[in-house]
Amino acid sequence: MSSSAPPVSENRATRSLFTEPGEPGRQLWRAAGEAVLAGALVLLSYSAESAIEARLGVGWAAVALGAVGVALVLVRRRYPVASVVGLAALMGVVPSVALLTAVAAYTATRQLRTPRRQVGVLLAAAASAMLTCAAFAPVLGVGSRLFGLALAAVLAVTTVVVPGLVGTAAGQSDRLLRALRERAAAAEEARRLADSESRMRERSRIAAEMHDLVGHRLSLVSLHAGGLEMALLKEAPELRDEAAVVRRATRDAMQELREVLGVLGPLGGESGIGALTDATGTRADVEALVEESRGGGIPAELVWEGPDLDARPARVRRAVHRVVRESLTNVHRYAAGAHVTVAVRHIGERVEVRVRNGVPPTRPPAVTGLGSGRGLTGLRERVALLGGGLEAGRTPGGGFAVAADLPADPGPGAETAEAAPYDSGPVAVDEPGSRFSVLQRRIAVAVTGLLGLVGLGAMTLFGILLVDHSRYDLAYRSPEPPRVGMTREQVQRAVAPDDVASRAAAAGREPPRPRSATDCLYPYTDEKSAHGRLELVRYCFRSDTLIAIDRFTVPVVTEPHGGRGTHD
């Protein structure tokens, strides 16, 4: 049952209407807080835009449309495209949801990753706002369709385009920061792996050094102890046991050394720490190895052809030293007493090493158990990493031969020294808790968003005021002025809509209506005459045909009833 719990919670998180895909939890408390804030924004916007939205009233239609806007902004994370397009269309009917549209546009463009989708969403939202505003402006009595387009253009720019561009920049910044964090994590992991590989390489080199140096000495001690034990068998039997103890102790030490090598790791490529000494691998050094084997009872001779290796790189000399030493050690272990020829040939840019032994005079009495099986493998890897090759095997006469051929001056590609330390430079990793706590960050984000909404609201209101101020100069100006005989629709396209205040001002002060008039239209006006009186125009219709245009003035302040008028 416990194993199925995480998938269930994960599915619940993805099915929530108030969270984006992959966000944990249902975030019900956040949705409730956002609903309250969204309702407050709608009420504030409605109060600020009362000059435009007063015609909608505060009936059930306005309340229902505001509730729809709040619902759309709550699901903006789960359905960003539908939310911003729906709010933009709703904004064309109820401009008080303009700030909610800005919030949805910011969220949608921040979530979308591709520029094509971001541009498409912004264009679709702007187009839906302009279409609905142009279509419903005459129906709601706000103005003509031209005025609706102008108003929608202002709203689309301030509440869709500007927040969308800010959201696009914020989304790119988030993705860039996330990529930098992932890159820093990958760089840290690469550095860790490089350090681990460096440590393994160093351990392998330590193992090789212990095998090459200590193993060789232990082999000689064991061989000498075995020879002493055989010699004391007849002459001093009481000391034979002491020699046997030395031989067994040497064997145990070699076994423990083998276990230590297993702990340190497999034999690596280039082992050692630079040159062991300045003379390692030179002619004098190889002669010393051969002389040491002679002292152990091995008839060995050295054949050197060409100049010394003292001018060659340390890694080449070290490889020559170890090929000779490992080969001689194997002769001491498996072919004691056999004749050995060590040949070093340094001609041109190649160095050839040959160590060949014949058949031992007597077969070893027993396996010493000192061989680890790693010597020739290590030599082959060492020579191969320098760009050379090593061959080892039995000769037709029954002996054994080791032949190494390697370059005298390996190029940079054959460099096998320690790996260069990993250095990726300073990586800036953003640590969420380094400077601000989570609460401080959330408060900072909330304050920034609130200030942005305030600035956006001020810009939106300023644009609406500009459009509203020019509505009667731009939206209702017609190339053909009203004249008697026009239809009602033509007159309504040419003049401002009927105004309640103008009708009330004309009551009791207007000239008599024509007897055949069925109704009259009193457009809004703010023009005043030279005497400070308000100039009104009345259009009277019989059915849907204009039959009279009356112009008259009324006092701005309370005056005795009566007024001057003309009758067309």
Side-chain angles (χ1 to χ4, degrees), residues 351-381:
V351 177
E352 298 177 1
V353 181
R354 301 285 189 275
V355 180
R356 181 171 180 172
N357 64 275
V359 180
T362 58
R363 183 178 297 275
V367 179
T368 62
L370 298 177
S372 63
R374 304 171 59 124
L376 291 178
T377 301
L379 287 180
R380 188 173 287 109
E381 292 179 358

Side-chain angles (χ1 to χ4, degrees), residues 524-544:
Y524 172 83
T525 182
D526 57 357
E527 296 181 1
K528 296 181 181 180
S529 65
H531 301 284
R533 298 171 65 89
L534 186 64
E535 296 183 354
L536 298 179
V537 182
R538 183 185 67 186
Y539 300 90
C540 293
F541 299 88
R542 182 172 57 242
S543 296
D544 286 334

Side-chain angles (χ1 to χ4, degrees), residues 305-328:
E305 183 179 354
D308 203 346
L309 296 175
D310 52 355
R312 294 301 179 181
R315 57 185 183 276
V316 175
R317 293 186 281 109
R318 187 166 60 247
V320 171
H321 171 91
R322 284 170 180 165
V323 168
V324 174
R325 188 175 62 188
E326 180 65 27
S327 300
L328 293 177

Side-chain angles (χ1 to χ4, degrees), residues 168-249:
T168 300
Q172 291 177 349
S173 176
D174 291 342
R175 287 186 286 274
L176 178 61
L177 183 60
R178 191 179 303 112
L180 289 177
R181 288 177 178 174
E182 293 175 355
R183 185 173 180 178
E188 182 66 21
E189 180 66 15
R191 188 192 64 79
R192 189 187 64 80
L193 291 177
D195 291 344
S196 177
E197 183 180 357
S198 232
R199 287 193 297 269
M200 291 300 297
R201 187 185 296 272
E202 187 65 23
R203 292 169 63 181
S204 177
R205 289 154 65 180
I206 294 173
E209 287 300 324
M210 293 179 66
H211 174 270
D212 293 339
L213 296 177
V214 182
H216 177 70
R217 302 299 181 186
L218 289 177
S219 297
L220 293 178
V221 171
S222 177
L223 289 174
H224 284 291
L228 181 62
E229 182 181 359
M230 297 295 295
L232 294 176
L233 179 62
K234 295 181 179 179
E235 297 183 4
E238 66 279 3
L239 298 178
R240 178 177 176 275
D241 293 339
E242 298 297 331
V245 170
V246 173
R247 182 175 57 82
R248 286 193 299 269

